[in-house]
Amino acid sequence: MAHHMTTEDVHEYINGVCFKTGPPGKVGAETEWLVADSADPTAPVPVDRLAALVESCGPPPSGSGVTFEPGGQLELSSPALPGPARAHAALSADLDHVGKALAEAGLHLVETALDPARPPRRQLREARYTAMERFFAHHRQPSGYTMMCSTASLQVCLDTGEDAADVRDRWELVHRLGPVLVAAFANSAVWRGRPTGWKSTRWAIWAATDATRTRPVLDAGSPADPATAWAEYALAARVMAVPGGEGPWTPDPGVTFSQWLDGQGPRPATRADLEFHLSTLFPPVRPRGWWELRMIDALPVRWWPVPVALAAALVDDPRARAAAEEATEELCGGRSPDRHLWLRSARLGMADPDVARCARACFDAAIEALPRMGAASLAALVDDYADHHTRRGLSPADTRPTVPVPRPARGERVRSAAAGPGHVEGAR
């Protein structure tokens, strides 16, 4: 018989599973990619065709996992490996392996974080995604559907820390780094053929979607202890769906997880329900037994290793970490980054002088640290990226060519930055 969860069980699970401690140093990366047909970039690419191509070329040689997002986005997730150089080598080999099969079929990876040409279209029919779509529709958040089907990110995975004090220090650092990573790698300024007014429209779309599951966990009102903060966040978040096992699911039961535990849900909650609920929460830093940094836009193929190397160096190399802590504390005024800083970074990118100053200090510290971490070639790539972008006050959104694509249909638009992130709109 399944054990019925209590609030205490939630705290115990999160302490034991989401905040494992141990010697840090492992690095992983998850790259999401929109895929297009080179002959007709405005045509949808059926996910069944993609899956067949990936299957036909055999398993990736370095062991990366291959999955698909609801709109047919392709995701490769590297193994967690010691240091950024090994993670980069593994994922590069696997991307080349899959990319070759796509190219032979006339397909290519789209080098932006938001589909610039095609309207959102859900391809995966699993109950999870049907429930997710219904949840966002019920709450009148069309940005949620766009987020599911038209966006792509690059996620960096880093160890939580050696002990409780180290975990807390890293927790604060990765949150303060968050807006800097948003700005430095912003790569989604165009949607449906028009500039949106945001350098990272992907971030604006996420920010417009159910704040109980997308806002940063560390903010001005959150507890100092990271595990307590994450548990309280999870308890206060709306339940997206109640899985039905072999039977039908209940989408959007209209309760928070805390209310479900108090008896207001359709049935008692179990540990499996908690695990599912946590998988539907999407803050920019998500604790999963490691830090999952989710705030970075998908980048051109040439540049995807840069944020992986940068984040690993700034968190895992002591000297680089000290420099990053100093620069980000100055940027954030000694506090956690507030909502306005996150949104400013997404709207302005590297045109924000304070964020740009902090980014330059962080890049310089990482470039100096990476050779000490056995990653000299990555140091050269990060330095090259900084020359092309960071030191010039630019992000990829400022340098990407725009290709004319169809004008938005009625109801499918992103209003100007002046309207604010709550007005980022999508359509089915």
Side-chain angles (χ1 to χ4, degrees), residues 35-416:
V35 180
D37 189 322
S38 300
D40 183 4
T42 65
V45 176
V47 71
D48 290 347
R49 181 185 177 199
L50 272 180
L53 284 169
V54 170
E55 180 75 20
S56 70
C57 67
S62 297
S64 295
V66 181
T67 52
F68 298 94
E69 295 297 319
Q73 304 97 313
L74 172 69
E75 181 175 34
L76 270 74
S77 305
S78 80
L81 294 167
R86 288 188 60 184
H88 166 242
L91 192 50
S92 288
D94 292 346
L95 273 169
D96 287 347
H97 175 77
V98 172
K100 184 172 182 288
L102 297 183
E104 288 173 352
L107 304 178
H108 67 271
L109 303 177
V110 179
E111 298 194 321
T112 182
L114 176 65
D115 199 311
R118 299 167 294 189
R121 174 175 173 261
R122 184 163 73 92
Q123 298 202 52
L124 299 188
R125 311 319 297 180
E126 285 95 328
R128 168 190 175 94
Y129 298 123
T130 299
M132 190 178 288
E133 179 182 341
R134 288 180 181 171
F135 177 90
F136 293 132
H138 183 255
H139 290 280
R140 297 184 180 180
Q141 294 172 342
S143 56
Y145 189 73
T146 304
M147 173 270 284
M148 291 170 62
C149 302
S150 294
T151 64
S153 69
L154 187 149
Q155 297 164 25
V156 182
C157 299
L158 302 170
D159 285 327
T160 53
E162 191 151 17
D163 52 34
D166 191 31
V167 167
R168 185 176 298 189
D169 289 345
R170 287 168 179 259
W171 174 251
E172 293 177 359
L173 175 59
V174 291
H175 275 89
R176 287 175 176 162
L177 278 172
V180 181
L181 297 173
V182 170
F185 301 109
N187 187 38
S188 49
V190 174
W191 191 44
R192 307 306 304 278
R194 297 190 301 183
T196 64
W198 295 77
K199 299 297 175 64
S200 177
T201 312
R202 184 192 71 89
W203 178 266
I205 286 168
W206 281 80
T209 302
D210 188 21
T212 75
R213 59 183 9 90
T214 59
R215 67 175 174 82
V217 181
L218 180 60
D219 59 24
S222 63
D225 175 62
T228 303
W230 182 226
E232 291 188 0
Y233 185 105
L235 288 163
R238 295 182 180 122
V239 175
M240 181 171 278
V242 177
E246 298 301 314
W249 287 38
T250 305
D252 191 21
V255 296
T256 65
F257 201 79
S258 178
Q259 290 169 335
W260 188 1
L261 297 181
D262 288 341
Q264 297 180 44
R267 58 166 174 75
T270 65
R271 174 169 166 153
D273 293 321
L274 172 63
E275 291 170 346
F276 174 77
H277 177 63
L278 292 175
S279 79
T280 71
L281 306 181
F282 310 112
V285 179
R286 184 163 71 173
R288 299 185 61 193
W290 60 89
W291 306 135
E292 186 180 73
L293 308 187
R294 303 176 54 87
M295 71 289 290
I296 303 163
D297 276 3
L299 294 170
V301 173
R302 176 185 180 187
W303 298 125
W304 75 260
V306 174
V308 181
L310 180 78
L314 296 177
V315 174
D316 286 342
D317 179 85
R319 278 160 57 187
R321 177 168 154 185
E325 286 172 341
E326 181 180 354
T328 57
E329 283 181 21
E330 180 181 349
L331 173 67
C332 299
R335 301 178 297 274
S336 55
D338 61 24
R339 180 173 181 270
H340 297 293
L341 179 58
W342 286 98
L343 294 174
R344 230 170 68 204
S345 295
R347 188 174 66 251
L348 300 176
M350 296 297 287
D352 183 293
D354 296 330
V355 175
R357 185 183 313 112
C358 181
R360 287 192 296 271
C362 289
F363 269 78
D364 288 347
I367 291 162
E368 195 253 339
L370 284 163
R372 290 196 295 270
M373 303 173 75
S377 64
L378 282 175
L381 184 67
V382 175
D383 195 32
D384 197 20
Y385 181 93
D387 279 345
H388 278 83
H389 301 96
T390 317
R391 295 181 183 120
R392 298 169 60 199
L394 302 173
S395 62
D398 299 302
T399 59
R400 298 292 298 153
T402 57
V403 179
V405 296
R407 304 286 283 186
R410 183 176 300 172
E412 294 175 342
R413 63 195 184 278
V414 178
R415 294 183 186 174
S416 71

